[in-house]
Amino acid sequence: MSRGIRCPIIREGDDLAKIVVDSVLEAAASEPFAMRDRDVISVTESVVARSQGNYATVDDIAADVRARLGGGTVGVIFPILSRNRFAICLRGIAKGCRKVVLMLSYPSDEVGNELVSLDKLDAVGINPYCDVLTLERYRELFGINKHEFTGVDYVQYYGDLIREAGAEVEIIFANQARTILDYTDHVLCCDIHTRARTKRILKAAGASVVCGLDDILTSPVNGSGYNPRYGLLGSNKATDDKIKLFPRECRELVLDIQKKVLDATGRHVEVMVYGDGAFKDPQGKIWELADPVVSPAFTDGLVGTPNELKLKYLADNDFKDLSGEALRDAISASIRAKQGSLVGNMASQGTTPRQLTDLIGSLCDLTSGSGDKGTPVVLVQGYFDNYTS
């Protein structure tokens, strides 16, 4: 059971732990439903960062970029195509540079937003693994390609943003990180999950200065918000001139919520902070995870992966000659008898051993949505139940 819990609008300085616990317990009283041990209370990262006041301006970004990358010609490589996630960061980056060489991966960005289809690449004989395209060549071959969902031509949009911020811009399309060194040796890597490899490749190839988005705003700039671990990664647009950063120091929050629920109900629940879920949209081919992680903080009971037996495997193999009550009892006995890790056990194949926080966080992201549902807290009950429960 996954329940979206409505809460008040959270503002900077609010006692978030108290608001979360009060909202869950009020929902339990009004439905009604009972709290249980090992229920999971999940809080979206957005309200955590908001309660922390973890914001920064475009000018704060510009100042840090200028200090770290010198303010000259900077290669900005492998950004995702997003008005919410990256566009406002790009404004700040451009304000901190004289010129931006924007290198876009193609046919899509890291999380699947498409610039051009693979079919179109095939039709004109372009190999994205090795071919480098100028903006002129891209337009000649593919024209204008607007995003399927947003209707935005991100090539034009990002170029205009950079120019409006006062910097020169040159746009190229390539998938080899070393390509940028033909244009500049000061590079800002904007990829998310591949950032460590990209930095390593560039440093080995002789780049003078290499930073990632996770290196920008790792400490306050002029009193701004910051994130010591992730920097700009996981940030979102707050206003036209301000971003909300990924929350920091969340461990204390989840432990506080856990304790408050125990004190109020006698139930030992698990608690996590969640951002983007880790799933892929089959229509737009977009991988949802634009945050650096699904969950930046969680209680100890959410460490690890599921350790499950596949019921259909047991039914079709080990107990194929049983049915009815005898089949039920045999499967239940197998579940109760399982010990230690089931990795490599044929009876566990197909059980998708992803991290518990990635699985539960994806469920919570789908439950809360990203719009006007007003449910920044999700209560998950029965997740750790099995056939014998």
Side-chain angles (χ1 to χ4, degrees):
M1 178 76 75
S2 178
R3 303 174 185 268
I5 305 295
R6 290 206 164 85
C7 298
I9 300 298
I10 306 300
R11 296 295 189 191
E12 181 178 351
D14 284 350
D15 186 343
L16 184 58
K18 183 178 187 302
I19 291 172
V20 169
V21 173
D22 288 349
S23 297
V24 171
L25 296 184
E26 286 168 10
S30 67
E31 289 273 345
F33 59 85
M35 297 295 293
R36 299 166 51 186
D37 289 330
R38 299 212 78 188
D39 285 354
V40 182
I41 296 175
S42 300
V43 186
T44 182
E45 58 82 20
S46 177
V47 298
V48 179
R50 197 180 306 148
S51 70
Q52 294 174 342
N54 203 17
Y55 293 90
T57 67
V58 166
D59 288 337
D60 297 330
I61 297 170
D64 208 19
V65 168
R66 191 178 300 112
R68 294 176 186 274
L69 288 146
T73 299
V74 175
V76 175
I77 72 171
F78 302 154
I80 64 171
L81 307 176
S82 172
R83 294 169 298 175
N84 175 46
R85 290 288 191 171
F86 186 71
I88 192 166
C89 294
L90 182 58
R91 284 184 59 206
I93 293 164
K95 288 189 74 171
C97 305
R98 180 184 61 81
K99 178 179 178 179
V100 171
V101 180
L102 181 65
M103 191 169 93
L104 300 173
S105 57
Y106 75 102
S108 63
D109 69 9
E110 179 184 2
V111 296
N113 293 292
E114 194 172 83
L115 280 174
V116 59
S117 71
L118 282 169
D119 290 335
K120 288 183 178 179
L121 293 184
D122 293 341
V124 295
I126 292 294
N127 183 344
Y129 296 102
C130 59
D131 291 342
V132 178
L133 305 178
T134 63
L135 175 59
E136 292 73 23
R137 183 61 171 155
Y138 169 82
R139 291 297 193 201
E140 176 189 338
L141 291 172
F142 307 116
I144 294 173
N145 293 276
K146 294 185 177 181
H147 192 281
E148 179 179 5
F149 296 145
T150 66
V152 173
D153 174 5
Y154 278 97
V155 177
Q156 182 69 43
Y157 178 52
Y158 279 2
D160 289 344
L161 276 178
I162 294 168
R163 283 184 285 269
E164 289 165 5
E168 299 175 44
V169 60
E170 182 174 358
I171 300 175
I172 60 173
F173 303 80
N175 291 309
Q176 298 295 331
R178 286 181 292 268
T179 300
I180 196 63
L181 299 181
D182 294 334
Y183 300 82
T184 178
D185 60 0
H186 286 58
V187 186
L188 178 60
C189 305
C190 299
D191 44 346
I192 305 164
H193 307 290
T194 55
R195 63 189 184 276
R197 177 175 182 267
T198 302
K199 291 181 192 178
R200 172 176 56 77
I201 289 171
L202 288 168
K203 289 174 182 176
S208 296
V209 180
V210 178
C211 292
L213 288 180
D214 56 331
D215 298 311
I216 307 299
L217 289 184
T218 54
S219 57
V221 174
N222 301 320
S224 73
Y226 65 98
N227 190 303
R229 183 173 183 184
Y230 296 120
L232 286 179
L233 289 179
S235 62
N236 283 276
K237 179 179 179 179
T239 70
D240 286 342
D241 296 299
K242 186 183 291 186
I243 60 167
K244 177 194 63 60
L245 292 153
F246 209 50
R248 59 179 190 269
E249 302 151 8
C250 304
R251 173 73 173 173
E252 185 177 321
L253 172 69
V254 297
L255 293 175
D256 191 14
I257 293 172
Q258 186 181 55
K259 183 178 184 303
K260 280 180 165 60
V261 173
L262 181 63
D263 292 344
T265 68
R267 298 299 185 183
H268 182 88
V269 301
E270 304 298 342
V271 185
M272 64 181 283
V273 176
Y274 71 97
D276 278 344
F279 51 85
K280 185 174 181 178
D281 169 52
Q283 174 65 30
K285 303 177 182 62
I286 297 169
W287 184 34
E288 177 71 8
L289 189 56
D291 286 325
V293 290
V294 172
S295 178
F298 44 87
T299 50
D300 292 343
L302 297 176
V303 174
T305 61
N307 196 45
E308 301 172 339
L309 294 169
K310 196 76 168 180
L311 295 192
K312 68 180 183 182
Y313 181 89
L314 294 175
D316 292 344
N317 291 273
D318 294 26
F319 309 121
K320 61 184 178 181
D321 297 325
L322 300 179
S323 61
E325 188 173 335
L327 176 59
R328 182 197 66 197
D329 291 345
I331 288 178
S332 297
S334 293
I335 293 172
R336 293 191 188 99
K338 67 182 180 182
Q339 293 182 351
S341 173
L342 297 174
V343 173
N345 186 325
M346 287 296 290
S348 70
Q349 66 177 343
T351 55
T352 315
R354 292 164 56 192
Q355 295 293 320
L356 288 168
T357 49
D358 293 342
L359 292 163
I360 298 171
S362 298
L363 170 62
C364 293
D365 188 28
L366 288 165
T367 301
S368 61
S370 57
D372 57 8
K373 287 185 171 60
T375 56
V377 174
V378 176
L379 175 67
V380 178
Q381 297 188 294
Y383 190 84
F384 295 100
D385 293 351
N386 64 33
Y387 186 69
T388 66
S389 305

